[in-house]
Amino acid sequence: MPDGGLWPVIRKAYMSVCVYLGGVQKSRLLSRRGKGFFILKGEAIMEGEKKKVILSGIQPTGVFTLGNYIGAVKNWAAMQEEFRCAYMLADLHAITVRQEPKVLREQILTCYALLLACGLDPEKSVIFIQSQVPAHAELGWMLACYTQFGELSRMTQFKDKSQQHADNINAGLFTYPSLMAADILLYQADLVPIGEDQRQHLELTRDVASRFNGIYGNVFKIPEGYIAKTGARVKSLADPTKKMSKSDENPNAYVSILDKPETIIKKFKRAVTDSETEVCFREGKDGINNLMSIYSAVTGRTLDEITAEFAGRGYGDFKAAVGEAVAEYLRPVQEKFARLMADKGYLESCYRQGAEQAQRISSRTLEKVKKKIGFVQ
Ligand code: ATP
Ligand code: LTN
């Protein structure tokens, strides 16, 4: 028995219990608050499993279209349980096209609220604004030095956007894929959920990562693309050979996810189709194929079921049904968006927390890269 009898022993035991409980309490708090990979990683290790990491992004260049939603953001929301996810608003990418400061600022906030309205949950995923995490611009520059001019020249998005903005073919538009590679590689992402149009950029990311690893050892995880089976390339309603795009000059070419029900119905009624009458999915019927894919994505019906449903009914009926189904499908997103926009304080707390988490995760990779390259630290 130590000096002083039983009391010091009890006190020591009591203190140890307090320290232990404090630790448990702290880690519970962190796992509820933290939501970052570090914490989730800890949890995953405790559970004996390691969840794969997802990263994806969308440009705040306008209100998301139905294409963005079906082809990308809806899938992001569905992945939050199974994976450790980071989703970002790619505002650094957005300035490759000239933006009006006031409009851009509003769009960034609107788009952030839209991400939450589409089901992204800051309690489950890291949801952040790219320009608030400096590691993206830093690694973007470094990776540009490991990306070849010839590779960038082959990018179809660069060619398309150079045509659309012939008066502003800037260096950022050209090196855009190096920044996108940085976005992905900073988080050591396993999977990148994207629409079909981003496949080429992802391939380039893989090439750049392999090249860097080849020189310096195993620095980056080589990511895989994750492209949805339905809705991966929703087409323009005005020209069904082109993809639906939120920065299209013609508002009838896209359905914005905040369009009013009557506008949505009207846009589908006007959608360009062909001179036939039969609702069936066939080569050469781009307009009808697009509407059928959309209807399938929002109702869950197969193409055969849709053909049977509209047999002998003509395009008018079909277009009206697609419009109504889409309007109904988007209603909950619109309602949630209205609630979120009424609470700017909450939105701000979410994006600040997202930036902190993203900063912590990305700085690990950035530090490693700097060391490998030979920068003095
Ligand atoms: P912008 O018109 O400004 O170029 P965008 O509408 O093409 O924008 P992005 O921000 O470039 O949209 O893309 C965000 C995500 O949405 C990406 O994963 C992209 O692949 C996907 N996406 C974009 N357009 C479509 C579409 N029409 N169909 C399916 N997925 C799409
Ligand atoms: N380039 C993409 C947006 C984007 C992105 C990313 C997507 C920027 N960084 C990282 C996936 C992963 C686009 O134009 N849709």
Side-chain angles (χ1 to χ4, degrees):
M1 178 76 54
D3 286 351
L6 202 57
W7 180 237
V9 180
I10 294 172
R11 209 167 70 139
K12 202 171 162 202
Y14 174 71
M15 291 304 283
S16 311
V17 169
C18 284
V19 167
Y20 171 72
L21 287 179
V24 169
Q25 183 62 15
K26 197 170 157 203
S27 68
R28 279 217 191 110
L29 263 177
L30 276 174
S31 58
R32 225 180 291 137
R33 268 188 61 240
K35 296 135 257 155
F37 295 168
F38 13 88
I39 309 304
L40 291 171
K41 197 168 178 180
E43 282 172 359
I45 288 165
M46 280 184 334
E47 287 163 13
E49 58 153 333
K50 194 170 179 299
K51 288 181 177 178
K52 290 199 165 167
V53 174
I54 296 255
L55 178 121
S56 201
I58 184 163
Q59 300 184 68
T61 37
V63 173
F64 303 165
T65 65
L66 183 63
N68 297 137
Y69 185 55
I70 301 178
V73 186
K74 184 173 82 66
N75 306 317
W76 299 356
M79 294 170 133
Q80 294 177 109
E81 301 297 336
E82 197 182 337
F83 302 99
R84 290 182 276 148
C85 303
Y87 297 119
M88 58 163 214
L89 275 184
D91 55 349
L92 294 176
H93 283 91
I95 62 162
T96 53
V97 169
R98 192 73 68 235
Q99 305 286 344
E100 182 64 39
K102 187 167 174 287
V103 177
L104 181 63
R105 199 167 295 121
E106 277 164 12
Q107 268 172 196
I108 292 171
L109 287 179
T110 305
C111 289
Y112 194 89
L114 278 174
L115 287 178
L116 304 194
C118 290
L120 300 194
D121 181 350
E123 295 293 314
K124 294 181 185 155
S125 306
V126 177
I127 308 167
F128 66 101
I129 300 172
Q130 185 188 28
S131 65
Q132 296 187 345
V133 183
H136 290 253
E138 283 187 69
L139 186 63
W141 168 259
M142 293 171 212
L143 292 186
C145 301
Y146 297 81
T147 314
Q148 297 304 302
F149 181 88
E151 290 176 310
L152 294 171
S153 317
R154 285 195 287 277
M155 296 294 115
T156 50
Q157 183 168 307
F158 170 67
K159 292 184 205 161
D160 291 348
K161 296 237 161 161
S162 308
Q163 268 181 1
Q164 283 166 26
H165 306 277
D167 56 340
N168 183 21
I169 307 178
N170 59 71
L173 194 62
F174 189 65
T175 57
Y176 180 116
S178 304
L179 179 58
M180 179 159 160
D183 301 335
I184 297 168
L185 301 177
L186 275 173
Y187 298 82
Q188 305 288 351
D190 295 278
L191 292 172
V192 185
I194 38 171
E196 189 66 50
D197 61 309
Q198 295 301 310
R199 187 191 287 276
Q200 203 185 19
H201 288 160
L202 187 75
E203 277 309 315
L204 183 62
T205 300
R206 290 165 54 86
D207 291 346
V208 172
S210 305
R211 183 172 304 144
F212 197 93
N213 286 353
I215 304 170
Y216 300 105
N218 224 0
V219 179
F220 297 126
K221 168 85 61 59
I222 310 292
E224 303 281 342
Y226 193 100
I227 299 179
K229 285 204 183 75
T230 48
R233 194 185 281 269
V234 175
K235 304 286 172 44
S236 152
L237 298 184
D239 176 357
T241 59
K242 278 181 16 190
K243 78 159 192 152
M244 182 181 281
S245 173
K246 60 177 132 59
S247 55
D248 200 309
E249 279 168 9
N250 175 7
N252 287 321
Y254 57 82
V255 169
S256 132
I257 64 172
L258 295 180
D259 274 345
K260 293 201 180 81
E262 53 277 22
T263 311
I264 297 176
I265 292 167
K266 202 163 69 198
K267 284 184 177 177
F268 277 106
K269 274 195 185 144
R270 288 197 188 145
V272 170
T273 48
D274 53 59
S275 52
E276 298 178 7
T277 53
E278 198 193 349
V279 177
C280 68
F281 198 97
R282 202 186 315 126
E283 218 189 309
K285 286 172 76 76
D286 293 327
I288 287 295
N289 294 350
N290 187 35
L291 297 188
M292 285 182 79
S293 305
I294 292 174
Y295 193 62
S296 170
V298 303
T299 61
R301 286 174 216 168
T302 63
L303 297 177
D304 287 344
E305 283 166 352
I306 299 169
T307 307
E309 187 181 345
F310 292 95
R313 286 174 59 188
Y315 289 175
D317 266 12
F318 175 53
K319 285 177 168 182
V322 181
E324 275 158 28
V326 169
E328 195 49 34
Y329 181 72
L330 294 177
R331 198 164 49 87
V333 176
Q334 299 187 350
E335 287 169 359
K336 190 161 179 201
F337 174 77
R339 288 197 298 275
L340 284 160
M341 286 305 273
D343 191 351
K344 298 270 166 39
Y346 173 69
L347 285 179
E348 185 175 340
S349 68
C350 292
Y351 67 69
R352 290 212 184 288
Q353 167 186 281
E356 267 172 41
Q357 295 168 330
Q359 175 63 30
R360 250 179 293 166
I361 304 163
S362 58
S363 64
R364 290 192 196 156
T365 304
L366 188 70
E367 287 315 307
K368 197 166 171 188
V369 170
K370 284 180 170 172
K371 196 166 160 197
K372 292 281 184 186
I373 291 179
F375 293 144
V376 175
Q377 283 172 303

